Amino acid sequence: QQQVKQSPQSLIVQKGGISIINCAYENTAFDYFPWYQQFPGKGPALLIAIRPDVSEKKEGRFTISFNKSAKQFSLHIMDSQPGDSATYFCAAIEFTGNQFYFGTGTSLTVIP
Amino acid sequence: NAGVTQTPKFRVLKTGQSMTLLCAQDMNHEYMYWYRQDPGMGLRLIHYSVGEGTTAKGEVPDGYNVSRLKKQNFLLGLESAAPSQTSVYFCASSYSRSQRRVPDTQYFGPGTRLTVL
């Protein structure tokens, strides 16, 4: 059973547009929700993360929106650039129980 | 700092052969992890370690063994490789909650691409 469901599987956005990737989870014990960015041939790298006591976190062009009641969180990339073209993974972590789950990934292509 | 390094980068095995993947980190992290990444499946945790000498099973541990004899190293072993173990393997490390007051992130290595024929 997929602990974290991520959508869409792939996304094509024009340069300057907004990219939105969504994730949903079931386990309310998760206490940390990071997003990772992965370029081909590289390992994932942390992009931005949020804790469930916060509804939104913004770092530059990247924003996480978190809806605790709906058990959903999303990544928004504003003013998307070709250099943002990569695979993005959401994750849900419960530190007490050492539970680490990743979504299935979204391949983002930003067209110049 | 090299961060998290993995050796080898690529490997081809025949069914039934064994091998060990090495992960090393120089960040004094307590926690270390092994994941496999398959198309459409995302990253799945194989085994992890919360400190030197301790290991635990993750989501998909069958067919793999691990050892953490030194804090900086985490080894992943395949005793009898199967084609289903063809994957890209990532090692990661992080601070523990006792090392930092807030949850921290996992730092990933560059990956090992393993093909089992």
Side-chain angles (χ1 to χ4, degrees):
Chain A
Q1 182 182 0
Q2 194 74 27
Q3 292 284 336
V4 181
K5 296 181 180 179
Q6 183 173 345
S7 62
Q9 186 176 1
S10 62
L11 182 62
I12 299 174
V13 174
Q14 293 279 355
K15 178 182 177 181
I18 303 174
S19 305
I20 302 175
I21 305 170
N22 302 299
C23 283
Y25 64 97
E26 287 297 325
N27 185 354
T28 56
F30 290 133
D31 52 12
Y32 188 61
F33 299 89
W35 283 90
Y36 284 83
Q37 180 187 56
Q38 184 181 27
F39 293 104
K42 304 292 186 182
L46 179 70
L47 188 63
I48 186 172
I50 198 168
R51 299 182 69 184
D53 53 353
V54 177
S55 62
E56 184 175 283
K57 184 174 182 180
K58 184 176 181 179
E59 290 184 1
R61 295 184 294 109
F62 302 92
T63 300
I64 298 179
S65 296
F66 188 85
N67 187 329
K68 189 173 182 178
S69 61
K71 293 185 284 187
Q72 296 176 347
F73 59 109
S74 60
L75 175 69
H76 296 237
I77 306 175
M78 311 299 288
D79 187 26
S80 298
Q81 299 297 312
D84 297 331
S85 297
T87 299
Y88 293 82
F89 293 95
C90 62
I93 298 173
E94 186 221 334
F95 284 96
T96 302
N98 289 321
Q99 301 292 308
F100 307 91
Y101 292 100
F102 281 74
T104 51
T106 296
S107 176
L108 171 66
T109 302
V110 181
I111 300 172
Chain B
N1 284 354
V4 179
T5 58
Q6 293 182 232
T7 53
K9 288 185 170 56
F10 304 93
R11 186 73 186 267
V12 178
L13 290 178
K14 294 181 180 178
T15 297
Q17 287 185 318
S18 63
M19 78 162 294
T20 300
L21 282 66
L22 171 64
C23 176
Q25 53 93 7
D26 60 2
M27 296 175 281
N28 196 37
H29 286 164
E30 289 284 348
Y31 282 27
M32 295 187 75
Y33 317 79
W34 275 107
Y35 289 89
R36 59 178 291 173
Q37 184 176 37
D38 303 291
M41 301 292 288
L43 288 149
R44 292 181 293 168
L45 184 64
I46 304 172
H47 286 280
Y48 65 96
S49 168
V50 299
E52 183 178 328
T54 69
T55 62
K57 295 179 180 180
E59 186 182 357
V60 288
D62 295 342
Y64 305 95
N65 58 76
V66 289
S67 63
R68 183 98 180 269
L69 299 179
K70 294 182 179 180
K71 185 177 183 178
Q72 63 268 34
N73 295 336
F74 195 28
L75 278 62
L76 177 70
L78 287 73
E79 291 185 347
S80 179
S84 61
Q85 294 178 305
T86 294
S87 187
V88 180
Y89 291 86
F90 287 100
C91 175
S93 69
S94 71
Y95 289 111
S96 67
R97 300 196 86 181
S98 63
Q99 289 181 298
R100 289 177 67 95
R101 296 180 60 187
V102 296
D104 206 345
T105 187
Q106 298 176 36
Y107 295 84
F108 283 82
T112 295
R113 184 173 294 276
L114 174 66
T115 301
V116 183
L117 302 176

